[in-house]
Amino acid sequence: MNWIAIGTIDDIPLRGARCVKTPQGKIGVFRTAENQVFAIEDHCPHKGGPLSQGIVHGASVTCPLHNWVISLETGQALGADEGAVRTIPIRNIDGQLSIALDRLLVAAE
């Protein structure tokens, strides 16, 4: 995989997120209260709301527009809602975060 550096874990507050712009679209990068990091497409499958502006709880994020809950681990909508966003491989090496660009290119084709 071709890993692209996107910053440090300290750039993202606990239970928060940041948006990373790529040629293939926006990626939401999330940090949980347990310091886990996840990367998913930054648009809700419901109406396209910016998930990186949502509320992080556990390993999920709630969309700020219509309260859909999305799993950060799988990208799947939880509860009675149906839909999904792509998950993006992310790694954390000594606090340095990188996403897998290869996955983005393949997924965008």
Side-chain angles (χ1 to χ4, degrees):
M1 279 188 210
N2 185 19
W3 294 95
I4 303 300
I6 58 169
T8 70
I9 194 166
D10 293 329
D11 294 334
I12 306 169
L14 283 174
R15 296 184 316 274
R18 292 291 181 261
C19 179
V20 176
K21 295 179 183 175
T22 74
Q24 294 76 30
K26 295 178 181 178
I27 304 299
V29 180
F30 300 84
R31 180 180 179 189
T32 69
E34 293 77 29
N35 278 319
Q36 291 180 290
V37 289
F38 298 94
I40 61 174
E41 291 177 309
D42 191 26
H43 66 270
C44 182
H46 176 228
K47 297 281 186 180
L51 294 173
S52 63
Q53 294 177 27
I55 297 171
V56 177
H57 47 97
S60 302
V61 62
T62 297
C63 179
L65 295 185
H66 300 104
N67 294 323
W68 276 40
V69 178
I70 307 297
S71 167
L72 296 172
E73 296 171 312
T74 66
Q76 294 289 320
L78 301 175
D81 300 320
E82 293 183 13
V85 295
R86 286 182 294 157
T87 59
I88 309 301
I90 187 168
R91 68 180 182 185
N92 177 3
I93 299 177
D94 297 325
Q96 299 294 316
L97 303 179
S98 303
I99 57 174
L101 183 60
D102 293 346
R103 170 71 187 270
L104 289 175
L105 292 173
V106 170
E109 294 176 353

